Amino acid sequence: MPTTYSISDLARELDVTPRAIRFYEEQGMLAPERRGQERIYQPKDLVILKLILRGKRIGFSLAECKELIDLYDPSSGNHKQLNTFLAKIAERRLQLQQQLLDIEQMQLELDTAEERCLAALAETTA
């Protein structure tokens, strides 16, 4: 019999709150079995939750994570899922590169503003 998890087991295993797990359920990303009020999670739920958390860490939206999870198809070797994932990685890299450029530009503007303020202060104290 495969290992199953309660909501608290899953939360403890992945260091998330039970509330977070319920949120992903509400979003349709997890669908545990029910025994009365108790939620019973399967190993696949653990994998899905790991994928969600990894996706969030690299900046994917929940919709993007859900799209990638929904594309899982072991019968096709997951080619569609993996190609979509590669495209999203490339897109995320471009976004991060643009953010780096924006940050560098903002730092230059801050340096200029700081120099002007220091020069103005120097003039008023001279």
Side-chain angles (χ1 to χ4, degrees):
M1 182 171 177
T3 304
T4 60
Y5 304 89
S6 69
I7 194 167
S8 56
D9 293 336
L10 206 55
R12 194 171 29 259
E13 178 88 17
L14 296 173
D15 196 28
V16 295
T17 64
R19 176 68 193 112
I21 295 170
R22 285 190 294 273
F23 173 77
Y24 297 130
E25 270 185 59
E26 291 165 7
Q27 299 304 307
M29 300 176 83
L30 295 171
E33 296 174 30
R34 297 279 188 148
R35 286 191 198 134
Q37 294 286 38
E38 185 182 10
R39 293 170 166 89
I40 308 297
Y41 295 91
Q42 301 299 320
K44 71 178 178 105
D45 296 311
L46 176 66
V47 171
I48 289 170
L49 193 49
K50 282 181 181 180
L51 291 173
I52 293 167
L53 296 173
R54 182 178 301 142
K56 283 182 54 183
R57 276 194 307 273
I58 59 177
F60 289 173
S61 68
L62 280 181
E64 289 171 313
C65 291
K66 184 170 180 4
E67 176 187 356
L68 288 168
I69 290 164
D70 289 346
L71 288 174
Y72 178 73
D73 181 10
S75 67
S76 71
N78 292 314
H79 291 278
K80 188 170 184 180
Q81 182 190 44
L82 294 171
N83 285 324
T84 302
F85 190 33
L86 286 171
K88 290 192 177 298
I89 288 170
E91 183 181 312
R92 184 67 180 136
R93 280 188 198 279
L94 288 174
Q95 289 172 345
L96 289 172
Q97 288 169 349
Q98 184 59 54
Q99 287 176 330
L100 279 172
L101 291 173
D102 293 345
I103 289 169
E104 288 170 358
Q105 182 62 40
M106 192 179 299
Q107 287 176 323
L108 290 172
E109 290 177 23
L110 288 170
D111 290 345
T112 301
E114 182 181 42
E115 288 171 12
R116 287 182 180 164
C117 286
L118 291 171
L121 282 173
E123 287 178 16
T124 60
T125 58

